[in-house]
Amino acid sequence: PPIPAIRLLIRHAPATSGAAPPPKAGRRAKAPFTPSSDPEQRSKAMQSLPHEFGLTALSVLTRDSAPHPARIRRETLVLDGTWSLSVDGAPTQPVQVPFAPQARVNAIPVPEGEARLRYATAFELPSGWEGALLHFEGVDREAEVSLNGVALGRHAGAWDPFSFWVPPAVLRRGLSGGGTTLHALVVEARDDSRDRSILAGKQERTAGEGVIFYGNMAGIWKSVWIERAGPRRIASHRLDADSSGRLTLDACVAGRPEGHRLRLTLAHPDGDGALSAEAPVRDGRARIEAVMPGVRPWSPGSPDLYLGRLSLLDGRGEEVDGFDTYAGFRDFRLDGGWYRLNGRPFHPRGLLN
C-alpha cells in the first residue's frame, strides 16, 4: 500500500486557556517517499512528490494524547504513523511506528542475530521555526538520526528516551514553498538479538529458550515527535511535590540564558488553589521552591492534578520558551513494614510477584 509521507503541524491548546483554537488543516501526500542519502537525489525526490493534496482537519493535542503529557509545547508534530523500512538492505516496505517490525500489526520478519533497520519518513513544518527538538521515546538498540541529510547524533539503549536539537541551518535544508518546509528524516537502527551483553529483559537470546521468554524486538518501538524550540530553551526539568503542598522544581536551560528567569504557574481545574513562582537562571540552572495553598493531595480515589505552565522569561519578562505541564501532590514510601500513600497504609494490587 502507498506510504503516507507528509504530516502537518498540530497546534496544542493550553491546558488552562479555556476554549481551544480550531484544528489546523493538514496535508498528506498520496505516494511513498524514501529519502536518498545524496543531497541532489533527495531534492529531486522531494520535488517529485504529487501536488494533489487532500485537506484533513487534525485534532488538537491534549494531555491525554500527547506523547509526553508533562511537557507539551504548543507547536508539536507527532510523527507516529506509517514510515518506510528497509531490513538489512532489502526493498522498503511500510511499517507502523511506534510498533516494532516484529509486532503483529507489522508482521515484518527481522533476522535473528545482528540486524540493520533503515527507517525513513517526511513531514512538513512552518518555515519560520528558529529551531526544534526531535524526540524518540524508544529505539532498540542503537540509533543514528539524520534530518535533511545532516547527522543529528547517535544513541545507544533501547529503554531510555532521547532527543536532538535541530538548529535553523538544518531546518533550512528542507524543501520550502508556500510558507512551509518539507523535511526528510532517516533513522538507522542496529540490534543484535543474540548478544547477551545487551540488556534485553525477557526477550529470547537463543531459539526456544523457554515459555517465560518473549519474542525479540528491534527498531523504533515508541513514539517519535518534533516540537518548536529555539536555542534558548528549557532543556530538562524535574518536579517533586508532596502531600503537604511543598513543591521543588529543578531545571536546566540551554543557550545563553543570562538575565533570564524561570516561572511556574499551577492551578486546580476546579479553581481551588493556585500558585505562581519564579527563580533566576544561573549557570544554566534554576530551582523553584513553593507551597500550594489548600493543597488537595493525589490518590487513586481522588486523582487531583494541578495544571499549569513552565516558562523561560527573558530580561523584559517575555516568554522565549515554555510548555504546559501538571503536578500531583503525593507521598509514597515504605515505613514500618507498610507502603504508605500520603501517610496512610496502602495495599498495592499488581501482577506477578
Side-chain angles (χ1 to χ4, degrees):
I3 302 174
I6 301 179
R7 302 170 182 85
L8 257 284
L9 183 70
I10 299 174
R11 293 189 182 275
H12 166 61
T16 57
S17 65
K24 182 180 178 65
R27 297 184 297 179
R28 197 174 291 272
K30 299 180 180 178
F33 177 67
T34 303
S36 168
S37 59
D38 180 73
E40 183 175 352
Q41 293 181 6
R42 185 178 67 251
S43 177
K44 290 181 180 179
M46 294 171 78
Q47 293 178 19
S48 69
L49 287 172
H51 296 287
E52 298 176 3
F53 296 102
L55 293 179
T56 305
L58 300 178
S59 59
V60 173
L61 196 63
T62 67
R63 187 165 56 85
D64 292 331
S65 61
H68 196 313
R71 187 185 63 231
I72 309 177
R73 284 185 166 88
R74 291 179 179 172
E75 291 185 84
T76 295
L77 175 61
V78 180
L79 299 179
D80 295 345
T82 306
W83 295 40
S84 65
L85 172 66
S86 171
V87 179
D88 287 338
T92 61
Q93 54 188 311
V95 62
Q96 290 297 315
V97 171
F99 300 95
Q102 301 97 320
R104 184 174 298 179
V105 68
N106 289 315
I108 298 174
V110 176
E112 297 298 323
E114 187 173 353
R116 289 177 171 266
L117 297 87
R118 185 179 191 270
Y119 289 84
T121 191
F123 57 91
E124 193 173 1
L125 296 175
S127 299
W129 280 23
E130 67 279 11
L133 281 170
L134 178 61
H135 295 272
F136 295 83
E137 279 290 285
V139 180
D140 190 5
R141 172 189 179 260
E142 299 179 13
E144 295 184 13
V145 180
S146 62
L147 186 68
N148 298 332
V150 178
L152 297 181
R154 304 175 63 183
H155 179 267
W159 317 111
D160 50 331
F162 60 97
S163 61
F164 300 110
W165 186 61
V166 184
V170 176
L171 294 177
R172 287 194 294 268
R173 289 174 61 92
L175 180 65
S176 297
T180 63
T181 303
L182 183 65
H183 302 280
L185 174 61
V186 174
V187 180
E188 301 271 1
R190 292 184 298 276
D191 190 28
D192 190 339
S193 63
R194 295 293 180 250
D195 188 346
R196 288 189 174 273
S197 67
I198 297 175
L199 183 66
K202 294 174 69 176
Q203 297 180 76
E204 286 186 338
R205 281 299 179 249
T206 58
E209 195 164 10
V211 295
I212 70 168
F213 290 91
Y214 304 109
N216 291 308
M217 69 171 195
I220 301 174
W221 66 285
K222 299 189 79 174
S223 288
V224 183
W225 76 98
I226 190 167
E227 57 193 19
R228 182 174 185 172
R232 293 176 297 167
R233 64 192 183 278
I234 304 169
S236 64
H237 81 290
R238 176 188 173 96
L239 192 155
D240 295 301
D242 63 33
S243 60
S244 71
R246 290 190 301 267
L247 175 149
T248 302
L249 184 141
D250 291 291
C252 294
V253 179
R256 297 181 177 274
E258 292 83 358
H260 287 48
R261 299 181 65 82
L262 205 64
R263 174 193 291 165
L264 174 67
T265 58
L266 287 173
H268 196 280
D270 294 344
D272 186 12
L275 68 78
S276 178
E278 296 185 11
V281 179
R282 295 190 177 97
D283 299 324
R285 296 179 179 274
R287 165 171 282 197
I288 293 176
E289 295 178 318
V291 177
M292 176 65 70
V295 66
R296 293 162 61 171
W298 181 95
S299 70
S302 181
D304 289 285
L305 294 177
Y306 290 77
L307 311 182
R309 186 164 180 82
L310 183 62
S311 303
L312 178 64
L313 310 177
D314 62 16
R316 296 173 295 178
E318 296 182 359
E319 183 180 281
V320 295
D321 187 35
F323 47 77
D324 291 350
T325 188
Y326 71 92
F329 291 79
R330 59 107 177 100
D331 302 302
F332 189 72
R333 59 173 55 94
L334 182 63
D335 182 24
W338 291 88
Y339 288 111
R340 295 183 183 272
L341 176 64
N342 302 332
R344 298 182 177 182
F346 182 79
H347 300 270
R349 179 183 297 173
L351 298 175
L352 304 178
N353 294 329

